[in-house]
mmCIF file of all heavy atoms in Angstrom:
data_model
loop_
_atom_site.group_PDB
_atom_site.id
_atom_site.type_symbol
_atom_site.label_atom_id
_atom_site.label_comp_id
_atom_site.label_asym_id
_atom_site.label_seq_id
_atom_site.Cartn_x
_atom_site.Cartn_y
_atom_site.Cartn_z
ATOM 1 N N ALA A 1 9.381 -11.309 5.314
ATOM 2 C CA ALA A 1 8.256 -12.194 5.585
ATOM 3 C C ALA A 1 8.652 -13.314 6.533
ATOM 4 O O ALA A 1 9.835 -13.639 6.674
ATOM 5 C CB ALA A 1 7.733 -12.789 4.278
ATOM 6 N N VAL A 2 7.653 -13.902 7.155
ATOM 7 C CA VAL A 2 7.893 -15.116 7.937
ATOM 8 C C VAL A 2 8.202 -16.237 6.954
ATOM 9 O O VAL A 2 7.859 -16.157 5.767
ATOM 10 C CB VAL A 2 6.662 -15.476 8.791
ATOM 11 C CG1 VAL A 2 6.336 -14.352 9.768
ATOM 12 C CG2 VAL A 2 5.450 -15.790 7.915
ATOM 13 N N PRO A 3 8.872 -17.318 7.377
ATOM 14 C CA PRO A 3 9.153 -18.438 6.475
ATOM 15 C C PRO A 3 7.853 -19.051 5.951
ATOM 16 O O PRO A 3 6.861 -19.145 6.683
ATOM 17 C CB PRO A 3 9.911 -19.432 7.368
ATOM 18 C CG PRO A 3 10.493 -18.593 8.469
ATOM 19 C CD PRO A 3 9.493 -17.516 8.719
ATOM 20 N N GLU A 4 7.871 -19.442 4.693
ATOM 21 C CA GLU A 4 6.689 -20.103 4.140
ATOM 22 C C GLU A 4 6.442 -21.412 4.885
ATOM 23 O O GLU A 4 7.376 -22.135 5.222
ATOM 24 C CB GLU A 4 6.874 -20.348 2.641
ATOM 25 C CG GLU A 4 6.975 -19.057 1.858
ATOM 26 C CD GLU A 4 6.804 -19.247 0.368
ATOM 27 O OE1 GLU A 4 5.753 -19.744 -0.068
ATOM 28 O OE2 GLU A 4 7.752 -18.903 -0.368
ATOM 29 N N GLY A 5 5.176 -21.694 5.148
ATOM 30 C CA GLY A 5 4.813 -22.842 5.954
ATOM 31 C C GLY A 5 4.583 -22.493 7.413
ATOM 32 O O GLY A 5 4.204 -23.352 8.201
ATOM 33 N N THR A 6 4.786 -21.225 7.771
ATOM 34 C CA THR A 6 4.579 -20.776 9.146
ATOM 35 C C THR A 6 3.098 -20.559 9.426
ATOM 36 O O THR A 6 2.381 -19.995 8.602
ATOM 37 C CB THR A 6 5.333 -19.454 9.412
ATOM 38 O OG1 THR A 6 6.725 -19.662 9.223
ATOM 39 C CG2 THR A 6 5.084 -18.954 10.825
ATOM 40 N N LEU A 7 2.636 -21.004 10.582
ATOM 41 C CA LEU A 7 1.290 -20.689 11.044
ATOM 42 C C LEU A 7 1.311 -19.320 11.714
ATOM 43 O O LEU A 7 2.040 -19.100 12.679
ATOM 44 C CB LEU A 7 0.797 -21.746 12.032
ATOM 45 C CG LEU A 7 0.275 -23.051 11.432
ATOM 46 C CD1 LEU A 7 0.041 -24.078 12.530
ATOM 47 C CD2 LEU A 7 -1.018 -22.809 10.661
ATOM 48 N N VAL A 8 0.524 -18.401 11.176
ATOM 49 C CA VAL A 8 0.538 -17.016 11.654
ATOM 50 C C VAL A 8 -0.808 -16.698 12.312
ATOM 51 O O VAL A 8 -1.860 -16.924 11.707
ATOM 52 C CB VAL A 8 0.790 -16.048 10.480
ATOM 53 C CG1 VAL A 8 0.827 -14.611 10.979
ATOM 54 C CG2 VAL A 8 2.093 -16.405 9.770
ATOM 55 N N PRO A 9 -0.802 -16.170 13.531
ATOM 56 C CA PRO A 9 -2.065 -15.797 14.186
ATOM 57 C C PRO A 9 -2.804 -14.724 13.378
ATOM 58 O O PRO A 9 -2.178 -13.860 12.745
ATOM 59 C CB PRO A 9 -1.619 -15.250 15.541
ATOM 60 C CG PRO A 9 -0.272 -15.850 15.773
ATOM 61 C CD PRO A 9 0.352 -15.970 14.413
ATOM 62 N N MET A 10 -4.130 -14.792 13.388
ATOM 63 C CA MET A 10 -4.930 -13.778 12.722
ATOM 64 C C MET A 10 -4.584 -12.391 13.265
ATOM 65 O O MET A 10 -4.251 -12.228 14.429
ATOM 66 C CB MET A 10 -6.424 -14.054 12.922
ATOM 67 C CG MET A 10 -6.926 -15.279 12.198
ATOM 68 S SD MET A 10 -6.844 -15.044 10.395
ATOM 69 C CE MET A 10 -7.321 -16.695 9.853
ATOM 70 N N ARG A 11 -4.637 -11.410 12.386
ATOM 71 C CA ARG A 11 -4.341 -10.005 12.681
ATOM 72 C C ARG A 11 -2.868 -9.774 12.996
ATOM 73 O O ARG A 11 -2.503 -8.790 13.621
ATOM 74 C CB ARG A 11 -5.245 -9.476 13.809
ATOM 75 C CG ARG A 11 -6.717 -9.448 13.437
ATOM 76 C CD ARG A 11 -7.608 -9.031 14.583
ATOM 77 N NE ARG A 11 -7.568 -9.994 15.673
ATOM 78 C CZ ARG A 11 -8.253 -11.145 15.675
ATOM 79 N NH1 ARG A 11 -9.019 -11.447 14.647
ATOM 80 N NH2 ARG A 11 -8.181 -11.966 16.695
ATOM 81 N N THR A 12 -2.021 -10.732 12.535
ATOM 82 C CA THR A 12 -0.572 -10.574 12.644
ATOM 83 C C THR A 12 0.024 -10.492 11.245
ATOM 84 O O THR A 12 -0.289 -11.334 10.398
ATOM 85 C CB THR A 12 0.053 -11.767 13.397
ATOM 86 O OG1 THR A 12 -0.515 -11.860 14.700
ATOM 87 C CG2 THR A 12 1.563 -11.613 13.509
ATOM 88 N N PRO A 13 0.855 -9.504 10.932
ATOM 89 C CA PRO A 13 1.417 -9.390 9.584
ATOM 90 C C PRO A 13 2.221 -10.625 9.199
ATOM 91 O O PRO A 13 3.029 -11.123 9.980
ATOM 92 C CB PRO A 13 2.324 -8.158 9.675
ATOM 93 C CG PRO A 13 1.759 -7.350 10.796
ATOM 94 C CD PRO A 13 1.246 -8.360 11.785
ATOM 95 N N MET A 14 1.996 -11.106 7.959
ATOM 96 C CA MET A 14 2.781 -12.209 7.411
ATOM 97 C C MET A 14 3.976 -11.689 6.633
ATOM 98 O O MET A 14 4.994 -12.360 6.520
ATOM 99 C CB MET A 14 1.906 -13.093 6.521
ATOM 100 C CG MET A 14 0.788 -13.791 7.278
ATOM 101 S SD MET A 14 -0.101 -15.020 6.284
ATOM 102 C CE MET A 14 -1.024 -13.940 5.183
ATOM 103 N N LEU A 15 3.829 -10.495 6.075
ATOM 104 C CA LEU A 15 4.963 -9.872 5.394
ATOM 105 C C LEU A 15 4.827 -8.369 5.473
ATOM 106 O O LEU A 15 3.742 -7.826 5.702
ATOM 107 C CB LEU A 15 5.083 -10.334 3.937
ATOM 108 C CG LEU A 15 4.045 -9.930 2.890
ATOM 109 C CD1 LEU A 15 4.269 -8.514 2.352
ATOM 110 C CD2 LEU A 15 4.073 -10.899 1.714
ATOM 111 N N THR A 16 5.952 -7.683 5.277
ATOM 112 C CA THR A 16 5.970 -6.231 5.174
ATOM 113 C C THR A 16 6.632 -5.858 3.862
ATOM 114 O O THR A 16 7.466 -6.595 3.329
ATOM 115 C CB THR A 16 6.745 -5.584 6.336
ATOM 116 O OG1 THR A 16 8.131 -5.971 6.266
ATOM 117 C CG2 THR A 16 6.164 -6.002 7.673
ATOM 118 N N ILE A 17 6.261 -4.706 3.330
ATOM 119 C CA ILE A 17 6.823 -4.228 2.069
ATOM 120 C C ILE A 17 6.985 -2.714 2.155
ATOM 121 O O ILE A 17 6.117 -2.013 2.664
ATOM 122 C CB ILE A 17 5.928 -4.631 0.870
ATOM 123 C CG1 ILE A 17 6.494 -4.078 -0.446
ATOM 124 C CG2 ILE A 17 4.490 -4.197 1.082
ATOM 125 C CD1 ILE A 17 5.751 -4.583 -1.689
ATOM 126 N N ARG A 18 8.123 -2.215 1.695
ATOM 127 C CA ARG A 18 8.364 -0.774 1.683
ATOM 128 C C ARG A 18 9.257 -0.422 0.502
ATOM 129 O O ARG A 18 10.001 -1.251 -0.012
ATOM 130 C CB ARG A 18 9.013 -0.309 2.984
ATOM 131 C CG ARG A 18 10.413 -0.850 3.220
ATOM 132 C CD ARG A 18 11.034 -0.273 4.489
ATOM 133 N NE ARG A 18 12.319 -0.856 4.794
ATOM 134 C CZ ARG A 18 13.485 -0.427 4.277
ATOM 135 N NH1 ARG A 18 13.494 0.591 3.431
ATOM 136 N NH2 ARG A 18 14.615 -1.017 4.610
ATOM 137 N N ASN A 19 9.183 0.820 0.094
ATOM 138 C CA ASN A 19 10.076 1.298 -0.966
ATOM 139 C C ASN A 19 11.434 1.650 -0.369
ATOM 140 O O ASN A 19 11.556 1.956 0.813
ATOM 141 C CB ASN A 19 9.486 2.510 -1.676
ATOM 142 C CG ASN A 19 9.238 3.673 -0.733
ATOM 143 O OD1 ASN A 19 8.390 3.575 0.156
ATOM 144 N ND2 ASN A 19 9.962 4.770 -0.921
ATOM 145 N N THR A 20 12.463 1.560 -1.182
ATOM 146 C CA THR A 20 13.827 1.843 -0.711
ATOM 147 C C THR A 20 14.409 3.011 -1.502
ATOM 148 O O THR A 20 13.830 4.074 -1.542
ATOM 149 C CB THR A 20 14.721 0.593 -0.872
ATOM 150 O OG1 THR A 20 14.720 0.193 -2.247
ATOM 151 C CG2 THR A 20 14.196 -0.540 -0.013
ATOM 152 N N LYS A 21 15.575 2.792 -2.086
ATOM 153 C CA LYS A 21 16.266 3.842 -2.855
ATOM 154 C C LYS A 21 16.546 5.048 -1.967
ATOM 155 O O LYS A 21 16.315 6.205 -2.335
ATOM 156 C CB LYS A 21 15.447 4.238 -4.089
ATOM 157 C CG LYS A 21 16.154 5.093 -5.123
ATOM 158 C CD LYS A 21 17.422 4.485 -5.640
ATOM 159 C CE LYS A 21 18.066 5.407 -6.671
ATOM 160 N NZ LYS A 21 19.450 5.017 -6.963
ATOM 161 N N HIS A 22 17.012 4.763 -0.723
ATOM 162 C CA HIS A 22 17.406 5.810 0.202
ATOM 163 C C HIS A 22 16.279 6.818 0.441
ATOM 164 O O HIS A 22 16.510 8.028 0.496
ATOM 165 C CB HIS A 22 18.660 6.536 -0.298
ATOM 166 C CG HIS A 22 19.798 5.626 -0.617
ATOM 167 N ND1 HIS A 22 20.396 4.821 0.336
ATOM 168 C CD2 HIS A 22 20.438 5.362 -1.792
ATOM 169 C CE1 HIS A 22 21.362 4.119 -0.240
ATOM 170 N NE2 HIS A 22 21.403 4.412 -1.516
ATOM 171 N N GLY A 23 15.058 6.287 0.544
ATOM 172 C CA GLY A 23 13.936 7.164 0.830
ATOM 173 C C GLY A 23 13.550 8.059 -0.319
ATOM 174 O O GLY A 23 12.973 9.127 -0.120
ATOM 175 N N ASP A 24 13.846 7.662 -1.544
ATOM 176 C CA ASP A 24 13.512 8.464 -2.721
ATOM 177 C C ASP A 24 12.000 8.488 -2.899
ATOM 178 O O ASP A 24 11.377 7.474 -3.204
ATOM 179 C CB ASP A 24 14.189 7.861 -3.955
ATOM 180 C CG ASP A 24 14.138 8.814 -5.147
ATOM 181 O OD1 ASP A 24 13.175 9.606 -5.231
ATOM 182 O OD2 ASP A 24 15.056 8.769 -5.978
ATOM 183 N N LYS A 25 11.377 9.644 -2.723
ATOM 184 C CA LYS A 25 9.919 9.739 -2.761
ATOM 185 C C LYS A 25 9.345 9.468 -4.151
ATOM 186 O O LYS A 25 8.146 9.240 -4.283
ATOM 187 C CB LYS A 25 9.474 11.122 -2.287
ATOM 188 C CG LYS A 25 9.913 12.273 -3.193
ATOM 189 C CD LYS A 25 9.440 13.598 -2.620
ATOM 190 C CE LYS A 25 9.868 14.762 -3.500
ATOM 191 N NZ LYS A 25 9.432 16.051 -2.919
ATOM 192 N N ARG A 26 10.203 9.462 -5.180
ATOM 193 C CA ARG A 26 9.693 9.186 -6.525
ATOM 194 C C ARG A 26 9.111 7.784 -6.634
ATOM 195 O O ARG A 26 8.300 7.502 -7.530
ATOM 196 C CB ARG A 26 10.823 9.337 -7.551
ATOM 197 C CG ARG A 26 11.360 10.744 -7.736
ATOM 198 C CD ARG A 26 12.454 10.737 -8.788
ATOM 199 N NE ARG A 26 13.528 9.815 -8.430
ATOM 200 C CZ ARG A 26 14.432 9.354 -9.312
ATOM 201 N NH1 ARG A 26 14.369 9.705 -10.571
ATOM 202 N NH2 ARG A 26 15.382 8.531 -8.899
ATOM 203 N N PHE A 27 9.504 6.878 -5.733
ATOM 204 C CA PHE A 27 9.074 5.486 -5.863
ATOM 205 C C PHE A 27 8.227 5.015 -4.677
ATOM 206 O O PHE A 27 7.960 3.825 -4.544
ATOM 207 C CB PHE A 27 10.301 4.586 -6.027
ATOM 208 C CG PHE A 27 11.194 5.015 -7.155
ATOM 209 C CD1 PHE A 27 12.463 5.522 -6.900
ATOM 210 C CD2 PHE A 27 10.761 4.954 -8.466
ATOM 211 C CE1 PHE A 27 13.288 5.946 -7.942
ATOM 212 C CE2 PHE A 27 11.575 5.369 -9.511
ATOM 213 C CZ PHE A 27 12.838 5.864 -9.257
ATOM 214 N N ALA A 28 7.785 5.939 -3.860
ATOM 215 C CA ALA A 28 6.947 5.560 -2.727
ATOM 216 C C ALA A 28 5.622 4.952 -3.187
ATOM 217 O O ALA A 28 5.037 4.116 -2.499
ATOM 218 C CB ALA A 28 6.696 6.778 -1.831
ATOM 219 N N TRP A 29 5.154 5.347 -4.350
ATOM 220 C CA TRP A 29 3.879 4.850 -4.873
ATOM 221 C C TRP A 29 3.891 3.348 -5.149
ATOM 222 O O TRP A 29 2.844 2.690 -5.150
ATOM 223 C CB TRP A 29 3.527 5.577 -6.175
ATOM 224 C CG TRP A 29 4.542 5.396 -7.282
ATOM 225 C CD1 TRP A 29 5.669 6.146 -7.478
ATOM 226 C CD2 TRP A 29 4.520 4.408 -8.315
ATOM 227 N NE1 TRP A 29 6.364 5.689 -8.570
ATOM 228 C CE2 TRP A 29 5.679 4.618 -9.111
ATOM 229 C CE3 TRP A 29 3.655 3.377 -8.659
ATOM 230 C CZ2 TRP A 29 5.982 3.832 -10.227
ATOM 231 C CZ3 TRP A 29 3.955 2.590 -9.765
ATOM 232 C CH2 TRP A 29 5.107 2.821 -10.533
ATOM 233 N N LEU A 30 5.099 2.766 -5.363
ATOM 234 C CA LEU A 30 5.193 1.356 -5.735
ATOM 235 C C LEU A 30 4.672 0.407 -4.658
ATOM 236 O O LEU A 30 4.095 -0.644 -4.955
ATOM 237 C CB LEU A 30 6.655 1.001 -6.034
ATOM 238 C CG LEU A 30 7.096 0.926 -7.489
ATOM 239 C CD1 LEU A 30 8.575 0.605 -7.556
ATOM 240 C CD2 LEU A 30 6.274 -0.083 -8.268
#
């Protein structure tokens, strides 16, 4: 994520989230 307190332009992601575990598809739903 960008640092908290950052002004972010509209339609620009403030954070990203993805599953890890070496691409283990069992946890992609999370």
Side-chain angles (χ1 to χ4, degrees):
V2 300
E4 296 195 59
T6 299
L7 280 171
V8 181
M10 291 294 174
R11 296 175 295 280
T12 301
M14 296 188 288
L15 69 80
T16 64
I17 178 173
R18 65 176 175 85
N19 60 294
T20 58
K21 192 56 180 166
H22 307 298
D24 193 330
K25 65 181 180 181
R26 293 181 303 162
F27 306 112
W29 60 274
L30 259 178

